[in-house]
Amino acid sequence: MASEIDTNHIKGTSRNCNSILKNRYIFISIIILLIAAVIFSIIISISTGQVSIPFTESCRILIYQLTGIQIGDISQLTSGMFVDIIWQIRFPRVLLAMIAGVGLALCGTVMRAAVQNPLADPYILGISSGASLGATFSIMIGFSATGILGEMGIAFWAFIGALMASVLVLGLASIGGKMSSAKLVLSGTVINALCNAFSSFIIYFAKDVEGIRSITFWTMGSFASAQWNKIPLIFIVVALAVVFFLFQTRVMNTMLMGDETAVILGINLNFYRRLYMVISAVVTGVIVATCGIIGFVGLIVPHIVRSVVGSDHKRFLPTAILSGAIFLIWADVFARTIIHNGELPIGIVISLLGAPVFMYILIKKSYGFGGK
Protein backbone atom coordinates (compact mmCIF):
# COMPACT_ATOMS: atom_id res chain seq x y z
CA MET A 1 0.00 0.00 0.00
CA ALA A 2 2.79 2.38 0.97
CA SER A 3 4.67 1.58 -2.22
CA GLU A 4 1.55 2.38 -4.30
CA ILE A 5 1.20 5.77 -2.56
CA ASP A 6 4.87 6.54 -3.17
CA THR A 7 4.51 5.53 -6.82
CA ASN A 8 1.44 7.74 -7.29
CA HIS A 9 3.21 10.62 -5.54
CA ILE A 10 6.24 10.24 -7.80
CA LYS A 11 4.03 10.12 -10.89
CA GLY A 12 2.13 13.21 -9.77
CA THR A 13 5.35 15.10 -9.08
CA SER A 14 6.70 14.05 -12.48
CA ARG A 15 3.55 15.29 -14.23
CA ASN A 16 3.79 18.64 -12.43
CA CYS A 17 7.45 19.01 -13.40
CA ASN A 18 6.68 18.18 -17.02
CA SER A 19 3.81 20.71 -17.00
CA ILE A 20 6.10 23.42 -15.59
CA LEU A 21 8.80 22.66 -18.15
CA LYS A 22 6.25 22.63 -20.96
CA ASN A 23 4.84 25.99 -19.88
CA ARG A 24 8.35 27.40 -19.58
CA TYR A 25 9.22 26.24 -23.10
CA ILE A 26 5.99 27.76 -24.43
CA PHE A 27 6.78 31.07 -22.74
CA ILE A 28 10.35 31.10 -24.09
CA SER A 29 8.99 30.34 -27.56
CA ILE A 30 6.53 33.26 -27.27
CA ILE A 31 9.34 35.63 -26.24
CA ILE A 32 11.54 34.48 -29.14
CA LEU A 33 8.66 34.96 -31.58
CA LEU A 34 7.96 38.43 -30.21
CA ILE A 35 11.63 39.46 -30.51
CA ALA A 36 11.64 38.21 -34.10
CA ALA A 37 8.40 40.14 -34.71
CA VAL A 38 10.02 43.33 -33.36
CA ILE A 39 12.99 42.95 -35.72
CA PHE A 40 10.72 42.15 -38.67
CA SER A 41 8.49 45.12 -37.84
CA ILE A 42 11.49 47.47 -37.75
CA ILE A 43 12.70 46.37 -41.18
CA ILE A 44 9.21 46.58 -42.71
CA SER A 45 8.68 49.98 -41.10
CA ILE A 46 11.85 51.54 -42.52
CA SER A 47 10.93 50.15 -45.95
CA THR A 48 7.41 51.58 -45.89
CA GLY A 49 6.43 55.19 -46.49
CA GLN A 50 5.81 57.81 -49.14
CA VAL A 51 9.00 56.55 -50.81
CA SER A 52 8.87 52.76 -51.06
CA ILE A 53 12.24 51.05 -50.52
CA PRO A 54 12.81 47.37 -51.41
CA PHE A 55 13.00 45.08 -48.40
CA THR A 56 16.39 43.63 -49.39
CA GLU A 57 17.80 47.12 -49.92
CA SER A 58 16.67 48.19 -46.46
CA CYS A 59 18.30 45.11 -44.92
CA ARG A 60 21.59 45.75 -46.72
CA ILE A 61 21.74 49.40 -45.70
CA LEU A 62 20.74 48.69 -42.10
CA ILE A 63 23.25 45.85 -41.69
CA TYR A 64 26.06 47.98 -43.10
CA GLN A 65 25.23 51.04 -40.98
CA LEU A 66 24.94 48.99 -37.77
CA THR A 67 27.74 46.45 -38.20
CA GLY A 68 29.94 47.64 -41.08
CA ILE A 69 29.38 44.36 -42.91
CA GLN A 70 29.30 45.01 -46.65
CA ILE A 71 26.72 43.24 -48.79
CA GLY A 72 26.85 44.43 -52.38
CA ASP A 73 28.13 47.72 -53.80
CA ILE A 74 29.70 49.89 -51.07
CA SER A 75 28.65 53.15 -52.76
CA GLN A 76 24.98 52.17 -52.49
CA LEU A 77 25.39 51.50 -48.77
CA THR A 78 26.97 54.82 -47.81
CA SER A 79 25.36 57.42 -50.09
CA GLY A 80 22.19 58.06 -52.02
CA MET A 81 18.58 58.89 -51.27
CA PHE A 82 17.69 55.49 -49.76
CA VAL A 83 20.51 55.73 -47.22
CA ASP A 84 19.47 59.19 -46.08
CA ILE A 85 15.79 58.22 -45.83
CA ILE A 86 16.50 55.09 -43.82
CA TRP A 87 19.34 56.23 -41.57
CA GLN A 88 18.47 59.87 -40.97
CA ILE A 89 14.66 59.84 -41.04
CA ARG A 90 12.95 56.46 -40.69
CA PHE A 91 15.27 54.45 -38.44
CA PRO A 92 15.40 57.07 -35.63
CA ARG A 93 11.64 57.38 -35.89
CA VAL A 94 11.12 53.61 -35.67
CA LEU A 95 13.48 53.37 -32.70
CA LEU A 96 11.63 56.18 -30.94
CA ALA A 97 8.29 54.45 -31.57
CA MET A 98 9.68 51.15 -30.28
CA ILE A 99 11.14 52.71 -27.12
CA ALA A 100 7.95 54.67 -26.45
CA GLY A 101 5.89 51.51 -26.90
CA VAL A 102 8.11 49.63 -24.45
CA GLY A 103 7.96 52.41 -21.88
CA LEU A 104 4.20 52.99 -22.05
CA ALA A 105 3.38 49.26 -21.93
CA LEU A 106 5.79 48.84 -19.00
CA CYS A 107 4.29 51.73 -17.03
CA GLY A 108 0.75 50.58 -17.83
CA THR A 109 1.51 47.11 -16.48
CA VAL A 110 3.14 48.52 -13.35
CA MET A 111 0.26 50.93 -12.71
CA ARG A 112 -2.28 48.11 -12.96
CA ALA A 113 -0.47 46.26 -10.19
CA ALA A 114 0.29 49.31 -8.02
CA VAL A 115 -3.23 50.74 -8.14
CA GLN A 116 -4.93 47.31 -8.35
CA ASN A 117 -7.20 48.62 -11.06
CA PRO A 118 -7.48 47.13 -14.57
CA LEU A 119 -8.32 50.60 -15.96
CA ALA A 120 -5.10 52.17 -14.66
CA ASP A 121 -2.70 53.54 -17.26
CA PRO A 122 0.55 55.56 -17.26
CA TYR A 123 -1.40 58.83 -17.20
CA ILE A 124 -3.31 58.10 -14.00
CA LEU A 125 -0.94 60.37 -12.05
CA GLY A 126 -1.94 63.41 -14.06
CA ILE A 127 1.18 63.12 -16.21
CA SER A 128 -0.52 63.85 -19.53
CA SER A 129 -2.37 66.93 -18.28
CA GLY A 130 0.70 68.14 -16.39
CA ALA A 131 2.87 67.78 -19.48
CA SER A 132 0.22 69.54 -21.55
CA LEU A 133 0.18 72.42 -19.06
CA GLY A 134 3.97 72.69 -19.16
CA ALA A 135 4.02 72.70 -22.96
CA THR A 136 1.17 75.21 -23.13
CA PHE A 137 2.93 77.49 -20.66
CA SER A 138 6.16 77.24 -22.65
CA ILE A 139 4.59 77.96 -26.05
CA MET A 140 2.13 80.65 -25.06
CA ILE A 141 4.35 82.56 -22.62
CA GLY A 142 7.31 82.32 -24.98
CA PHE A 143 9.76 80.42 -22.79
CA SER A 144 10.37 77.89 -25.57
CA ALA A 145 12.14 80.54 -27.61
CA THR A 146 14.13 82.56 -25.08
CA GLY A 147 16.46 82.00 -22.17
CA ILE A 148 18.88 79.26 -21.24
CA LEU A 149 16.16 76.79 -20.27
CA GLY A 150 14.15 77.80 -23.31
CA GLU A 151 16.89 76.47 -25.53
CA MET A 152 15.97 73.00 -24.29
CA GLY A 153 12.59 73.46 -25.97
CA ILE A 154 9.06 72.42 -25.20
CA ALA A 155 10.23 68.97 -24.08
CA PHE A 156 11.91 70.41 -20.98
CA TRP A 157 8.82 72.30 -19.84
CA ALA A 158 6.53 69.37 -20.64
CA PHE A 159 8.67 67.10 -18.48
CA ILE A 160 8.66 69.64 -15.63
CA GLY A 161 4.87 69.86 -15.85
CA ALA A 162 4.49 66.07 -15.85
CA LEU A 163 6.82 65.66 -12.89
CA MET A 164 5.12 68.39 -10.85
CA ALA A 165 1.69 66.88 -11.53
CA SER A 166 2.91 63.47 -10.36
CA VAL A 167 4.39 64.95 -7.19
CA LEU A 168 1.11 66.71 -6.44
CA VAL A 169 -0.87 63.49 -6.95
CA LEU A 170 1.44 61.48 -4.67
CA GLY A 171 1.37 64.24 -2.06
CA LEU A 172 -2.41 64.58 -2.17
CA ALA A 173 -2.89 60.81 -1.92
CA SER A 174 -0.61 60.71 1.16
CA ILE A 175 -2.55 63.32 3.12
CA GLY A 176 -4.46 61.93 6.09
CA GLY A 177 -2.56 58.70 6.51
CA LYS A 178 -1.68 55.71 4.38
CA MET A 179 -1.73 55.98 0.61
CA SER A 180 -4.37 53.74 -0.97
CA SER A 181 -5.31 52.78 -4.52
CA ALA A 182 -8.62 54.66 -4.34
CA LYS A 183 -6.91 57.84 -3.09
CA LEU A 184 -4.37 57.66 -5.92
CA VAL A 185 -7.07 57.35 -8.57
CA LEU A 186 -9.12 60.19 -7.09
CA SER A 187 -6.05 62.40 -6.63
CA GLY A 188 -5.05 61.80 -10.25
CA THR A 189 -8.55 62.81 -11.36
CA VAL A 190 -8.36 66.06 -9.35
CA ILE A 191 -4.90 67.05 -10.64
CA ASN A 192 -5.93 66.16 -14.19
CA ALA A 193 -8.89 68.52 -13.94
CA LEU A 194 -6.79 71.33 -12.45
CA CYS A 195 -4.03 71.07 -15.06
CA ASN A 196 -6.54 70.97 -17.91
CA ALA A 197 -8.30 74.01 -16.45
CA PHE A 198 -5.06 76.01 -16.24
CA SER A 199 -4.11 74.99 -19.79
CA SER A 200 -7.50 76.13 -21.08
CA PHE A 201 -7.16 79.37 -19.09
CA ILE A 202 -3.81 80.18 -20.74
CA ILE A 203 -5.10 79.35 -24.22
CA TYR A 204 -8.29 81.36 -23.72
CA PHE A 205 -6.44 84.60 -22.97
CA ALA A 206 -3.67 84.04 -25.50
CA LYS A 207 -3.82 85.56 -28.96
CA ASP A 208 -1.08 83.46 -30.55
CA VAL A 209 -2.88 81.43 -33.23
CA GLU A 210 0.31 79.64 -34.30
CA GLY A 211 1.03 78.74 -30.68
CA ILE A 212 -2.44 77.28 -30.24
CA ARG A 213 -1.92 75.14 -33.35
CA SER A 214 1.44 73.96 -31.99
CA ILE A 215 -0.16 72.95 -28.69
CA THR A 216 -2.98 71.11 -30.46
CA PHE A 217 -0.54 69.16 -32.64
CA TRP A 218 1.72 68.37 -29.68
CA THR A 219 -1.14 66.99 -27.57
CA MET A 220 -1.98 64.54 -30.39
CA GLY A 221 1.48 62.96 -30.27
CA SER A 222 3.95 62.45 -33.08
CA PHE A 223 7.27 60.79 -33.92
CA ALA A 224 7.95 63.17 -36.82
CA SER A 225 10.58 65.09 -34.83
CA ALA A 226 12.63 61.96 -34.11
CA GLN A 227 16.38 62.60 -34.35
CA TRP A 228 19.45 60.69 -33.27
CA ASN A 229 20.25 63.20 -30.52
CA LYS A 230 16.86 62.53 -28.86
CA ILE A 231 17.26 58.74 -28.71
CA PRO A 232 19.97 58.28 -26.00
CA LEU A 233 18.10 59.96 -23.12
CA ILE A 234 14.77 58.22 -23.62
CA PHE A 235 16.52 54.90 -24.30
CA ILE A 236 18.59 55.05 -21.10
CA VAL A 237 15.59 56.00 -18.94
CA VAL A 238 13.32 53.30 -20.38
CA ALA A 239 16.06 50.63 -20.37
CA LEU A 240 16.91 51.25 -16.70
CA ALA A 241 13.21 51.08 -15.80
CA VAL A 242 12.76 47.81 -17.72
CA VAL A 243 15.74 46.19 -15.97
CA PHE A 244 14.52 47.36 -12.56
CA PHE A 245 10.94 46.15 -12.96
CA LEU A 246 11.96 42.78 -14.41
CA PHE A 247 13.47 42.09 -10.97
CA GLN A 248 10.31 43.28 -9.18
CA THR A 249 7.84 40.70 -10.50
CA ARG A 250 7.48 38.99 -7.11
CA VAL A 251 6.47 42.24 -5.41
CA MET A 252 4.02 43.09 -8.21
CA ASN A 253 2.45 39.63 -7.91
CA THR A 254 2.05 40.29 -4.18
CA MET A 255 0.31 43.60 -4.95
CA LEU A 256 -2.41 41.68 -6.76
CA MET A 257 -3.12 39.72 -3.55
CA GLY A 258 -3.79 42.83 -1.48
CA ASP A 259 -2.18 44.66 1.43
CA GLU A 260 -3.11 42.09 4.07
CA THR A 261 -1.27 39.30 2.24
CA ALA A 262 1.72 41.63 1.77
CA VAL A 263 1.88 42.26 5.53
CA ILE A 264 1.91 38.51 6.18
CA LEU A 265 4.72 38.09 3.66
CA GLY A 266 6.67 40.97 5.22
CA ILE A 267 6.51 43.28 2.19
CA ASN A 268 5.97 47.02 2.67
CA LEU A 269 3.63 47.67 -0.22
CA ASN A 270 3.27 51.35 0.67
CA PHE A 271 6.99 51.90 0.05
CA TYR A 272 7.03 49.91 -3.18
CA ARG A 273 3.87 51.62 -4.42
CA ARG A 274 5.48 55.04 -3.96
CA LEU A 275 8.71 53.89 -5.59
CA TYR A 276 6.91 52.39 -8.59
CA MET A 277 4.83 55.53 -9.01
CA VAL A 278 7.88 57.80 -9.02
CA ILE A 279 9.77 55.66 -11.54
CA SER A 280 6.70 55.33 -13.77
CA ALA A 281 6.16 59.09 -13.58
CA VAL A 282 9.74 59.79 -14.70
CA VAL A 283 9.56 57.28 -17.57
CA THR A 284 6.17 58.49 -18.78
CA GLY A 285 7.22 62.12 -18.37
CA VAL A 286 10.28 61.61 -20.58
CA ILE A 287 8.18 59.82 -23.23
CA VAL A 288 5.49 62.51 -23.22
CA ALA A 289 8.06 65.29 -23.35
CA THR A 290 9.72 63.67 -26.38
CA CYS A 291 6.73 62.34 -28.34
CA GLY A 292 3.69 64.20 -27.03
CA ILE A 293 0.66 62.54 -25.48
CA ILE A 294 0.06 59.00 -26.77
CA GLY A 295 -2.88 57.35 -25.06
CA PHE A 296 -4.31 53.82 -24.94
CA VAL A 297 -0.97 51.98 -25.35
CA GLY A 298 -0.46 51.52 -21.62
CA LEU A 299 -4.09 50.52 -21.22
CA ILE A 300 -4.96 48.23 -24.10
CA VAL A 301 -1.66 46.34 -24.56
CA PRO A 302 -1.56 44.99 -20.95
CA HIS A 303 -5.24 43.97 -21.27
CA ILE A 304 -4.62 41.94 -24.43
CA VAL A 305 -1.38 40.39 -23.15
CA ARG A 306 -2.88 39.46 -19.79
CA SER A 307 -5.72 37.60 -21.48
CA VAL A 308 -3.11 35.49 -23.30
CA VAL A 309 -0.34 34.82 -20.73
CA GLY A 310 -2.17 35.39 -17.43
CA SER A 311 -1.46 37.74 -14.53
CA ASP A 312 1.89 36.30 -13.35
CA HIS A 313 4.26 39.23 -13.92
CA LYS A 314 7.21 36.94 -14.64
CA ARG A 315 5.52 36.26 -17.95
CA PHE A 316 3.13 39.17 -18.15
CA LEU A 317 5.75 41.95 -17.94
CA PRO A 318 8.25 40.86 -20.65
CA THR A 319 5.44 39.89 -23.01
CA ALA A 320 3.71 43.26 -22.53
CA ILE A 321 6.97 45.15 -23.13
CA LEU A 322 7.64 43.47 -26.48
CA SER A 323 3.98 43.69 -27.51
CA GLY A 324 3.94 47.42 -26.77
CA ALA A 325 6.94 47.93 -29.06
CA ILE A 326 5.31 46.00 -31.91
CA PHE A 327 1.97 47.76 -31.44
CA LEU A 328 3.41 51.28 -31.59
CA ILE A 329 5.74 50.53 -34.53
CA TRP A 330 2.83 49.36 -36.66
CA ALA A 331 0.59 52.19 -35.46
CA ASP A 332 3.26 54.63 -36.65
CA VAL A 333 3.46 52.87 -40.03
CA PHE A 334 -0.30 53.27 -40.36
CA ALA A 335 -0.12 56.93 -39.29
CA ARG A 336 2.38 57.93 -41.97
CA THR A 337 0.99 55.86 -44.84
CA ILE A 338 -2.81 56.22 -44.53
CA ILE A 339 -2.75 59.75 -46.02
CA HIS A 340 -0.97 60.37 -49.30
CA ASN A 341 1.85 62.92 -48.90
CA GLY A 342 0.95 63.44 -45.26
CA GLU A 343 0.49 61.74 -41.90
CA LEU A 344 -1.98 61.52 -39.06
CA PRO A 345 -0.88 62.30 -35.49
CA ILE A 346 -0.10 59.04 -33.73
CA GLY A 347 -2.55 59.87 -30.92
CA ILE A 348 -5.47 59.89 -33.35
CA VAL A 349 -4.41 56.56 -34.85
CA ILE A 350 -3.99 54.92 -31.44
CA SER A 351 -7.44 56.09 -30.35
CA LEU A 352 -9.07 54.91 -33.59
CA LEU A 353 -7.41 51.50 -33.29
CA GLY A 354 -7.49 51.17 -29.51
CA ALA A 355 -11.03 52.22 -28.62
CA PRO A 356 -12.85 49.53 -30.68
CA VAL A 357 -10.46 46.81 -29.49
CA PHE A 358 -10.89 47.90 -25.90
CA MET A 359 -14.69 47.90 -26.25
CA TYR A 360 -14.50 44.38 -27.70
CA ILE A 361 -12.43 43.23 -24.72
CA LEU A 362 -14.90 44.73 -22.26
CA ILE A 363 -17.82 43.03 -24.01
CA LYS A 364 -16.30 39.60 -24.67
CA LYS A 365 -13.96 39.11 -21.70
CA SER A 366 -15.36 38.55 -18.23
CA TYR A 367 -12.31 37.96 -16.07
CA GLY A 368 -11.69 39.36 -12.60
CA PHE A 369 -8.66 41.38 -11.69
CA GLY A 370 -5.85 39.25 -10.25
CA GLY A 371 -6.84 36.03 -11.99
CA LYS A 372 -7.03 34.66 -15.51
Side-chain angles (χ1 to χ4, degrees):
M1 185 69 177
S3 62
E4 290 181 1
I5 295 175
D6 291 340
T7 302
N8 292 333
H9 176 72
I10 293 172
K11 289 181 179 179
T13 304
S14 177
R15 282 195 297 269
N16 290 335
C17 291
N18 290 334
S19 177
I20 293 172
L21 288 174
K22 183 179 179 181
N23 291 335
R24 184 177 299 174
Y25 289 142
I26 292 174
F27 172 67
I28 293 174
S29 301
I30 291 174
I31 294 298
I32 292 173
L33 287 175
L34 288 175
I35 293 174
V38 170
I39 297 172
F40 176 77
S41 299
I42 290 174
I43 298 175
I44 292 295
S45 182
I46 63 174
S47 303
T48 306
Q50 301 300 329
V51 177
S52 182
I53 300 175
F55 182 83
T56 54
E57 194 74 12
S58 300
C59 291
R60 290 175 60 241
I61 294 172
L62 202 58
I63 291 172
Y64 179 78
Q65 294 290 341
L66 291 174
T67 65
I69 298 176
Q70 177 183 344
I71 303 176
D73 186 5
I74 186 66
S75 62
Q76 296 179 359
L77 303 177
T78 57
S79 61
M81 182 180 66
F82 286 173
V83 176
D84 292 337
I85 290 174
I86 288 177
W87 192 249
Q88 299 299 331
I89 300 175
R90 290 184 185 173
F91 193 48
R93 178 172 181 147
V94 173
L95 288 181
L96 186 59
M98 179 187 72
I99 296 169
V102 168
L104 291 174
L106 171 71
C107 293
T109 304
V110 172
M111 288 295 182
R112 285 169 58 95
V115 183
Q116 298 175 7
N117 189 327
L119 295 178
D121 72 348
Y123 301 132
I124 198 172
L125 295 180
I127 293 173
S128 59
S129 57
S132 180
L133 176 59
T136 302
F137 185 78
S138 170
I139 293 172
M140 305 309 294
I141 304 301
F143 284 174
S144 62
T146 60
I148 296 175
L149 293 179
E151 293 177 1
M152 303 178 72
I154 300 172
F156 172 80
W157 295 100
F159 177 75
I160 293 298
L163 204 58
M164 290 181 64
S166 302
V167 171
L168 287 174
V169 170
L170 292 174
L172 186 61
S174 301
I175 295 176
K178 185 179 178 182
M179 180 189 297
S180 66
S181 302
K183 289 171 70 176
L184 277 169
V185 174
L186 293 174
S187 299
T189 303
V190 171
I191 299 303
N192 259 314
L194 282 175
C195 290
N196 287 330
F198 278 115
S199 297
S200 300
F201 181 83
I202 294 173
I203 293 173
Y204 181 79
F205 284 100
K207 297 180 180 180
D208 186 357
V209 177
E210 188 63 31
I212 295 174
R213 289 185 60 187
S214 299
I215 293 170
T216 303
F217 184 77
W218 185 85
T219 54
M220 293 179 184
S222 175
F223 299 122
S225 62
Q227 298 175 355
W228 282 113
N229 58 357
K230 294 184 178 181
I231 301 297
L233 175 61
I234 188 173
F235 173 77
I236 291 171
V237 172
V238 172
L240 290 176
V242 168
V243 173
F244 173 77
F245 282 118
L246 285 176
F247 287 97
Q248 296 293 310
T249 55
R250 176 175 172 269
V251 177
M252 286 191 284
N253 284 340
T254 306
M255 285 180 171
L256 300 182
M257 302 177 187
D259 291 359
E260 294 181 358
T261 304
V263 171
I264 296 173
L265 296 176
I267 297 176
N268 185 358
L269 281 193
N270 196 36
F271 166 77
Y272 282 106
R273 188 174 285 121
R274 289 174 182 268
L275 179 62
Y276 292 176
M277 292 289 185
V278 171
I279 295 175
S280 298
V282 172
V283 173
T284 309
V286 170
I287 293 173
V288 170
T290 306
C291 311
I293 300 173
I294 304 173
F296 266 111
V297 178
L299 180 63
I300 192 170
V301 171
H303 262 289
I304 296 174
V305 171
R306 182 179 172 277
S307 66
V308 175
V309 301
S311 58
D312 184 357
H313 284 87
K314 289 183 179 179
R315 302 182 180 185
F316 183 14
L317 193 60
T319 309
I321 288 170
L322 293 172
S323 300
I326 296 170
F327 179 78
L328 210 47
I329 288 174
W330 282 103
D332 181 55
V333 172
F334 185 82
R336 55 189 169 86
T337 57
I338 190 65
I339 300 177
H340 183 64
N341 292 330
E343 70 173 78
L344 281 174
I346 189 68
I348 295 177
V349 174
I350 294 295
S351 297
L352 290 175
L353 295 176
V357 175
F358 190 61
M359 286 189 290
Y360 173 82
I361 292 174
L362 290 178
I363 294 171
K364 293 296 182 181
K365 300 293 181 180
S366 57
Y367 49 82
F369 189 66
K372 278 193 172 185

